[in-house]
Amino acid sequence: MASSVSSQQDKVLVEANSSARIITLNRPKQLNAQSFQMIYRLLELFLVYEEDPIVKLVILKGKGRAFSVGGDVAALVRDMRADDWRVGANFFSQVFKLIYLIATYSKPQVSILNGIVMGGGAGISVHGRFRVATENTTFAMPEVDLGLFPDVAASYFLSRLPGFFGEYVGLTGSRLDGAEMLACGLATHFVPSAKLPMLEAALCNADSSDPVIISSIIDQYSEKPSLKEQSVYNRLDVIDGCFSQRTVEEIISALEREDVHHMDSWISATIQKLKKSSPTSLKIFLRSIREGRLQGVGQCLVREYRMVSHVLKGELSKDFFEGCRAILLDKDKNPNWEPSKLEMIDEGRVECYFSKVKHEEWEDLKLPIRVKFELPPYVIAKL
Amino acid sequence: MDRAFQRTRILTNHLLLSTPAQTACLTSNDCFNYSPPELSENYAFDVNEMRKLMDGHDVEERDRLFGLIIQSRLFNPRVRGGKVFVSPDYNQSMEQQREMTWKRIEYLLERGVFKGWMTGEGEDVEMKRFACFEVLGLFDHSISIKLGVHFFLWGGAIQFFGTKHHHDKWLRDTENYKVKGCFSMTELGHGSNVRGIETVTTYDSKTGEFVINTPCESAQKYWIGGAAKHATHTIVFSQLNINGNNEGVHALIAQIRDADGNVCPNIRIADCGHKIGLNGVDNGRIWFDNVRVPRENLLNSVADVSPDGKYLSSIKDPDQRFAAFLSPLTAGRVNIAVNAVYQSKVGLSIAIRYALTRRAFSLKPNEPEVLLLDYPSHQRRLLPLLAKIYAMSFGANYLKMLYVKRTPQSNKTIHVVSSSFKATITWSNMQILQECREACGGQGLKTENRVGHLKAEHDVQSTFEGDNNILMQQVSKALFAEYMAAQKRNKVFKGLGLEHMNKPCPVIPSQLTSTTLRCSQFQMDALCLRERELLNRFVADVSQYLAKGESKEQAFNMSYQVAEDLGKAFSDRAIFQTFVEAEATLASGSLKDVLGMVRSLYALNCLEDITYLRYGFLSVDNGVAVSREITKLCTELRPHALGLVSSFGIPDSFLSPIAFNWVDANSWSSVQH
């Protein structure tokens, strides 16, 4: 088997294996946090592979105990001075373009999620055709902890989870294991990590872009894991009842009512979590997922790009910088959100995040033109 | 053909952004690949902004409700072509459909959707309620009617005709569905003529009870939504007979089922049976066999009966008293008009999206086939209807505002505007759905594609809450009354948008140019001219019959043709006015530019109406100029077609498989699953 490693771009490793290409995120100490450089490299690779008729399948994985914890936000905040928020915006625009490319990719992508998957890590995997979870997988969208909100078109994929599980996952940043990911549809397969080398080899020999064939190959190594008894996924009825409520305040009240009935530690922990997160983040995310449920993946990214630009610009709130300070830099885990309470944020304030940014050089996200490729039906359905 | 070569050719074509080159051997791959319109069409304006303008209010609330529907198994989600579509299973039996409608209502109740609908007050609550009805109506007509009967008719009757103790006793229980209400007005023998109903109520002062009776078969209550299966209570309309005096039609509350769903003594209920649509609503028939209800059950805001059996009313004039009883029907009419607009939006979204992806016939041999919407004839069929529904959207928003800002002084305006808009919009809805059905060809006939089925579901709109023809006659009569009042008192016209009658008659230029035709002032003049002339003519015709000794009623009956035309002229002009007002609120830019074209297309479409030639308001030459300009506008609006239907804000799940990847939705692999 011939394989070649691109050495100059050592943060992203590439193996060419007949018709398959294996991309490995290689920044294990930082849990494969995605730098500017890595995003550019991924964009470049995905573009080249799509054009290259020899390539039929792309496999994406991470080195070490994480698939990827998402964008390297700590570095971003360090690099960003108050007056050049557009550096940050530019980073996100590249990430979002990559995600759009992945979501509308004309060839199947198999992401092997053998470890931690968070935020932008989910962004570059969940939108692909196949997502393989293992017993080592931990998934979360914890952006509200940082004063950000689940972006990377999370308003598209979380809103399409069963019932109102997506609202729950995005608002609480709760962790899911591999079995839960499979149950709710975030993963398409569950393969024990011991079988991954065999799976990879089989995929490399597939020599096919047909999703039915790829799926049946992964099926051969798959197992049906059972959910843990205390899994939140067994509590969908409570989640649906509470997280379908109109506003964040009403969601919390509904949970509090449930708490009285059930005296359940999971419910009280959920309430505590919601009360600790950035109120602004919670509100804008709830609005975002509700809109995203009715929009195509491209529209979701355009909207989220507006939102993230407002967050970075920091005029409406500086929660993102405060969150990064408290969680990533000073690590005192005690952010001072401003506004500090949900009731201080009215609809008009939320609405601002969804408007165009007023700045002469800012413009709406321009999505890559996809008319050139014959898109498979599962991609067309996302537009 | 060598695959690599073929691939290179396709890639080259894509890169050059040209249409695929001619090829002698057609392969199925080349012809029938579905290409999503989103990838090839551009939006020249902000679709979100347009949607806000169209929906007008409560966009976030609408989206939440859409989400509640999409995320629940109860709303029958089905995957076609990789997308989820929600729509009731109309292949179920009538009984099953009714059961499902009820389960969906229970789900929405649990989710707090109806919170404040009866107990809340104010414009915001009412507007939000309208928005919810619009969303639910996009899912299914049955659920919106079933809710409409309970909240607007039953609940509305209690709010409008009842007094404080009725409100305290019933409104909260109505909001929580502790009671399930229906509204018994129509009888087998009397529909639009409510004053002729035959059910009789007398008062027994010994027991302090009213006694309701169905004296003959034609007096059975008919079409009562909710009565056949679920309703526990009803509003009964009957002739109130006190001490041998008929005091006219009054409303009271009667229980028809107990909490377990058993029919109460002295009540007989039968089903209306299977219908051409709306089978999720349990329409029933009710007979009352000397049913006794307590005296407090009389809804007494208009009139009351004292314990010892004396009739008391603050409104002495029986005509006015009766008119007061019809006010909940106004809310119903507003709902119907608005709902009809949204049904047309569904039809047009589907037909236009399909026309942007379906091809038929090549212009030259071996050339790719032409997109349906690139045929001028197809544009001419659909785009004027699109413009019409834009106009009617603004009309509907105006009507809602008029309703929620109602005052005793605005009652007449609300009655006239809601009657004329309800008739015009529901008629046009049927026309639009039929055109859309045909534009989708055979696909339009599949129930899952919605367009065809919606016709059957919404046919009833031209009949209930006032037959359209009768409503239009009432509009003309109201305009006649305005005219007579102005003439008699030698005063100017004020209200109903008739102020233009005070100005000199507008003159249509003898040769209409493109610029003139697209000028909103000209368009307004042309619409006012027709209204003015038809009103003058109607008054003249009626006066002539009166002079010949005919009764007023008979004179109106004889002048039906002009009356009908006048009703339409009033409505077209009033709707146009709402369009112009909405347009005026916009800053200049692409949104306003596109809307300007849409407005022109709507106006010219009105000018193509037969009345302009019948009464000679337009010369034949000008008629031709109008027609030609419509064709031009259609060509200019063609690039905006996708943007204009996307702005309706109807989620993909509420459209249908032919609006999206209909090739995949019909593929063999979809059969196997």
Side-chain angles (χ1 to χ4, degrees):
Chain A
M1 222 187 284
S3 72
S4 71
V5 176
S6 161
S7 55
Q8 71 273 35
Q9 295 280 358
D10 61 349
K11 299 287 186 276
V12 177
L13 305 177
V14 176
E15 287 172 69
N17 217 322
S18 70
S19 63
R21 293 292 176 273
I22 304 175
I23 303 175
T24 307
L25 305 174
N26 182 32
R27 215 184 162 202
K29 275 188 195 154
Q30 286 84 7
L31 300 174
N32 296 322
Q34 302 156 12
S35 62
F36 240 126
Q37 215 184 14
M38 287 165 80
I39 294 295
Y40 277 129
R41 180 69 179 144
L42 287 172
L43 252 175
E44 184 182 39
L45 289 172
F46 272 95
L47 284 170
V48 169
Y49 294 159
E50 189 161 49
E51 297 272 6
D52 186 346
I54 296 165
V55 178
K56 295 190 173 156
L57 173 73
V58 177
I59 298 172
L60 185 61
K61 57 183 190 173
K63 189 161 189 171
R65 62 189 185 91
F67 171 79
S68 170
V69 291
D72 193 346
V73 176
L76 185 74
V77 172
R78 265 195 308 270
D79 294 348
M80 237 173 77
R81 279 181 220 95
D83 55 335
D84 58 1
W85 60 277
R86 281 176 302 113
V87 174
N90 182 39
F91 173 73
F92 279 91
S93 82
Q94 296 307 316
V95 173
F96 286 12
K97 279 175 190 169
L98 172 64
I99 284 164
Y100 187 70
L101 183 63
I102 286 173
T104 59
Y105 210 53
S106 58
K107 296 174 183 180
Q109 170 190 346
V110 180
S111 301
I112 296 177
L113 309 175
N114 188 29
I116 305 165
V117 188
M118 286 185 185
I124 57 170
S125 56
V126 173
H127 292 288
R129 181 66 184 86
F130 298 106
R131 292 88 64 186
V132 178
T134 75
E135 73 281 5
N136 299 320
T137 309
T138 303
F139 172 96
M141 296 300 283
E143 288 87 344
V144 290
D145 294 348
L146 289 178
L148 190 60
F149 63 94
D151 56 342
V152 296
S155 62
Y156 181 85
F157 69 77
L158 287 182
S159 66
R160 278 153 179 85
L161 301 186
F164 291 81
F165 195 60
E167 268 91 340
Y168 167 75
V169 170
L171 287 172
T172 63
S174 294
R175 293 173 178 219
L176 306 179
D177 64 20
E180 288 166 330
M181 280 187 82
L182 183 71
C184 74
L186 281 167
T188 56
H189 296 80
F190 182 96
V191 175
S193 58
K195 291 187 184 173
L196 290 178
M198 285 187 292
L199 170 64
E200 262 183 53
L203 287 172
C204 290
N205 288 328
D207 195 35
S208 171
S209 278
D210 183 344
V212 178
I213 293 172
I214 306 294
S215 185
S216 66
I217 291 171
I218 313 175
D219 281 342
Q220 287 166 27
Y221 302 91
S222 296
E223 283 181 8
K224 284 257 173 295
S226 45
L227 287 174
K228 286 196 221 97
E229 202 189 320
Q230 70 273 30
S231 166
V232 286
Y233 203 69
N234 292 324
R235 313 299 305 276
L236 263 190
D237 53 334
V238 177
I239 289 177
D240 280 357
C242 298
F243 285 84
S244 61
Q245 297 294 316
R246 203 171 267 123
T247 61
V248 179
E249 291 92 325
E250 286 174 62
I251 289 173
I252 294 175
S253 314
L255 284 164
E256 283 169 344
R257 281 196 298 276
E258 284 289 335
D259 202 23
V260 173
H261 291 308
H262 298 292
M263 296 303 283
D264 186 322
S265 63
W266 164 71
I267 296 178
S268 10
T270 304
I271 296 169
Q272 286 318 306
K273 186 73 213 308
L274 288 171
K275 290 189 170 169
K276 261 182 63 188
S277 303
S278 154
T280 303
S281 294
L282 294 177
K283 286 211 164 181
I284 63 176
F285 173 67
L286 187 63
R287 166 84 181 265
S288 174
I289 189 172
R290 298 271 158 95
E291 284 192 19
R293 185 163 279 136
L294 312 172
Q295 292 175 328
V297 69
Q299 289 170 289
C300 285
L301 285 166
V302 170
R303 170 174 36 73
E304 289 178 4
Y305 183 64
R306 286 187 183 186
M307 294 167 69
V308 89
S309 298
H310 281 291
V311 167
L312 294 169
K313 203 172 173 213
E315 274 179 8
L316 297 165
S317 157
K318 298 198 176 0
D319 276 5
F320 177 51
F321 303 96
E322 174 62 11
C324 288
R325 181 203 62 74
I327 308 293
L328 303 173
L329 307 174
D330 298 351
K331 298 190 177 165
D332 61 15
K333 292 188 177 165
N334 190 20
N336 285 314
W337 305 124
E338 184 57 46
S340 59
K341 287 195 167 57
L342 287 164
E343 54 270 28
M344 295 161 79
I345 306 161
D346 62 14
E347 275 174 39
R349 201 180 172 105
V350 172
E351 181 78 34
C352 291
Y353 284 88
F354 296 80
S355 61
K356 289 186 180 186
V357 175
K358 289 191 180 69
H359 188 283
E360 67 256 27
E361 281 168 57
W362 184 92
E363 51 182 20
D364 267 329
L365 183 69
K366 291 256 185 309
L367 297 169
I369 292 164
R370 306 293 290 144
V371 77
K372 219 163 112 183
F373 298 94
E374 244 173 62
L375 303 179
Y378 64 83
V379 165
I380 290 175
K382 293 191 223 174
L383 294 171
Chain B
M1 195 189 292
D2 178 40
R3 276 196 65 80
F5 171 69
Q6 192 183 346
R7 175 92 196 135
T8 319
R9 181 179 56 79
I10 293 168
L11 271 176
T12 318
N13 282 332
H14 278 314
L15 287 169
L16 298 172
L17 283 176
S18 63
T19 45
Q22 295 179 20
T23 162
C25 74
L26 291 172
T27 68
S28 58
N29 264 347
D30 269 7
C31 291
F32 293 110
N33 255 336
Y34 173 85
S35 170
E38 281 80 3
L39 293 185
S40 45
E41 308 275 327
N42 292 314
Y43 295 145
F45 55 90
D46 188 331
V47 173
N48 290 325
E49 287 306 311
M50 187 71 102
R51 185 208 170 181
K52 280 185 203 158
L53 192 65
M54 291 272 97
D55 277 340
H57 58 102
D58 294 293
V59 171
E60 209 177 333
E61 185 67 18
R62 289 167 200 262
D63 285 353
R64 171 178 178 255
L65 192 45
F66 280 131
L68 278 177
I69 294 172
I70 294 169
Q71 296 304 99
S72 163
R73 306 297 307 169
L74 287 171
F75 291 81
N76 193 31
R78 279 175 288 191
V79 178
R80 293 277 189 284
K83 291 183 94 84
V84 177
F85 293 98
V86 289
S87 174
D89 182 356
Y90 294 110
N91 201 27
Q92 285 184 329
S93 71
M94 180 178 86
E95 281 75 16
Q96 287 169 319
Q97 290 186 47
R98 290 170 176 185
E99 212 39 52
M100 284 314 296
T101 307
W102 177 243
K103 281 191 179 152
R104 288 170 189 140
I105 291 175
E106 278 183 318
Y107 166 80
L108 298 171
L109 177 67
E110 272 171 36
R111 293 287 184 266
V113 173
F114 313 136
K115 219 160 88 186
W117 278 20
M118 285 285 110
T119 53
E121 271 172 23
E123 291 172 16
D124 290 351
V125 173
E126 293 194 344
M127 288 306 268
K128 195 150 89 177
R129 203 167 57 177
F130 278 130
C132 290
F133 263 89
E134 288 159 25
V135 167
L136 291 166
L138 285 173
F139 172 73
D140 173 35
H141 200 199
S142 286
I143 195 169
S144 90
I145 292 308
K146 188 107 172 124
L147 289 167
V149 168
H150 178 75
F151 286 105
F152 282 96
L153 295 181
W154 155 266
I158 291 169
Q159 282 177 326
F160 289 109
F161 313 149
T163 46
K164 188 168 184 302
H165 82 275
H166 298 113
H167 298 168
D168 293 346
K169 182 165 181 193
W170 299 102
L171 292 183
R172 183 162 300 278
D173 284 354
T174 297
E175 189 172 296
N176 299 331
Y177 268 101
K178 293 258 166 47
V179 298
K180 300 171 197 164
C182 64
F183 189 78
S184 301
M185 182 181 259
T186 297
E187 295 175 357
L188 176 60
H190 290 86
S192 290
N193 180 17
V194 180
R195 292 183 84 172
I197 58 170
E198 297 168 288
T199 304
V200 178
T201 296
T202 52
Y203 181 67
D204 181 348
S205 56
K206 285 195 273 314
T207 58
E209 288 170 317
F210 287 107
V211 185
I212 312 166
N213 196 37
T214 304
C216 54
E217 284 300 357
S218 60
Q220 65 179 276
K221 293 296 179 183
Y222 216 102
W223 294 128
I224 310 309
K229 197 103 188 148
H230 296 127
T232 58
H233 292 72
T234 188
I235 305 289
V236 188
F237 284 83
S238 62
Q239 305 289 350
L240 183 61
N241 197 307
I242 300 295
N243 302 321
N245 274 342
N246 183 8
E247 302 291 353
V249 174
H250 287 70
L252 40 75
I253 295 171
Q255 185 163 5
I256 57 172
R257 282 192 180 84
D258 63 20
D260 299 326
N262 306 304
V263 175
C264 293
N266 300 339
I267 302 270
R268 285 175 288 149
I269 293 180
D271 207 302
C272 288
H274 193 267
K275 306 181 289 282
I276 62 165
L278 271 184
N279 281 303
V281 179
D282 51 326
N283 291 93
R285 305 181 277 149
I286 310 177
W287 290 258
F288 299 90
D289 304 325
N290 293 315
V291 174
R292 290 183 164 262
V293 301
R295 192 182 67 90
E296 304 81 70
N297 280 20
L298 181 72
L299 294 172
N300 59 347
S301 75
V302 173
D304 207 353
V305 174
S306 66
D308 60 344
K310 276 206 196 71
Y311 182 77
L312 316 155
S313 177
S314 52
I315 306 177
K316 292 288 169 244
D317 178 5
D319 285 346
Q320 279 181 23
R321 213 154 59 205
F322 174 72
F325 275 116
L326 295 181
S327 48
L329 294 182
T330 309
R333 275 200 284 272
V334 175
N335 249 332
I336 292 168
V338 174
N339 179 276
V341 169
Y342 278 86
Q343 303 311 316
S344 293
K345 286 179 177 175
V346 172
L348 285 164
S349 299
I350 293 171
I352 286 177
R353 290 189 62 94
Y354 186 57
L356 286 168
T357 60
R358 177 67 147 84
R359 295 170 184 272
F361 301 106
S362 311
L363 294 177
K364 289 185 197 144
N366 299 326
E367 264 194 359
E369 292 182 284
V370 177
L371 275 180
L372 297 186
L373 204 62
D374 285 334
Y375 284 99
S377 59
H378 212 74
Q379 294 168 10
R380 189 66 148 85
R381 284 167 72 182
L382 294 177
L383 299 185
L385 299 178
L386 182 63
K388 198 169 178 179
I389 220 58
Y390 262 76
M392 288 179 173
S393 250
F394 294 124
N397 284 341
Y398 162 77
L399 179 58
K400 279 185 276 181
M401 290 310 291
L402 195 63
Y403 177 77
V404 302
K405 291 185 183 299
R406 63 190 174 276
T407 60
Q409 293 76 40
S410 69
N411 266 344
K412 185 176 67 189
T413 308
I414 295 175
H415 178 72
V416 174
V417 175
S418 70
S419 299
S420 77
F421 282 18
K422 184 261 186 184
T424 310
I425 296 175
T426 59
W427 269 329
S428 111
N429 182 38
M430 292 309 286
Q431 178 212 355
I432 289 174
L433 289 174
Q434 180 64 25
E435 196 60 64
C436 291
R437 203 296 291 155
E438 291 178 29
C440 292
Q443 288 297 326
L445 299 169
K446 288 184 70 165
T447 306
E448 72 168 15
N449 287 331
R450 299 205 71 189
V451 203
H453 186 83
L454 287 178
K455 284 191 298 167
E457 285 290 319
H458 293 86
D459 200 337
V460 63
Q461 290 190 322
S462 56
T463 297
F464 63 16
E465 316 263 333
D467 173 273
N468 279 3
N469 289 288
I470 292 178
L471 291 179
M472 278 309 210
Q473 287 168 19
Q474 289 185 9
V475 172
S476 300
K477 280 185 202 169
L479 296 178
F480 177 87
E482 287 295 306
Y483 189 100
M484 298 316 276
Q487 208 178 44
K488 207 157 96 190
R489 292 184 212 122
N490 208 6
K491 281 210 302 212
V492 293
F493 284 89
K494 197 159 178 278
L496 294 174
L498 293 174
E499 289 80 359
H500 67 88
M501 300 283 296
N502 303 321
K503 291 191 219 154
C505 185
V507 180
I508 307 268
S510 58
Q511 258 195 327
L512 288 171
T513 62
S514 181
T515 320
T516 311
L517 284 165
R518 292 183 188 216
C519 162
S520 66
Q521 188 54 54
F522 159 76
Q523 293 159 0
M524 182 60 98
D525 283 350
L527 290 165
C528 289
L529 173 78
R530 177 176 59 159
E531 186 183 25
R532 165 199 290 261
E533 292 293 314
L534 288 175
L535 180 49
N536 287 335
R537 188 179 283 259
F538 182 57
V539 171
D541 282 9
V542 171
S543 309
Q544 214 167 20
Y545 286 116
L546 290 175
K548 282 187 198 153
E550 298 281 3
S551 70
K552 206 171 170 188
E553 284 68 28
Q554 188 60 6
F556 281 133
N557 287 343
M558 311 278 275
S559 317
Y560 72 95
Q561 170 86 67
V562 188
E564 226 170 75
D565 291 340
L566 172 60
K568 201 168 168 192
F570 168 80
S571 180
D572 285 351
R573 190 267 307 149
I575 287 172
F576 181 77
Q577 207 151 0
T578 65
F579 199 140
V580 173
E581 279 160 20
E583 204 185 330
T585 63
L586 297 174
S588 42
S590 51
L591 198 66
K592 195 171 189 148
D593 294 344
V594 172
L595 268 183
M597 286 196 275
V598 175
R599 186 245 309 135
S600 286
L601 185 52
Y602 168 68
L604 297 185
N605 198 44
C606 292
L607 262 60
E608 244 197 350
D609 186 75
I610 181 75
T611 46
Y612 276 91
L613 294 177
R614 180 187 290 152
Y615 300 104
F617 305 144
L618 277 185
S619 67
V620 174
D621 283 352
N622 276 344
V624 172
V626 166
S627 218
R628 206 180 292 131
E629 200 61 26
I630 290 179
T631 309
K632 267 167 71 184
L633 277 164
C634 285
T635 316
E636 287 170 42
L637 278 170
R638 157 68 185 83
H640 302 296
L642 184 68
L644 288 170
V645 294
S646 301
S647 304
F648 290 153
I650 302 170
D652 297 355
S653 301
F654 289 74
L655 299 179
S656 68
I658 42 162
F660 300 95
N661 193 346
W662 41 269
V663 178
D664 193 52
N666 286 288
S667 67
W668 179 245
S669 61
S670 73
V671 178
Q672 290 165 310
H673 285 137

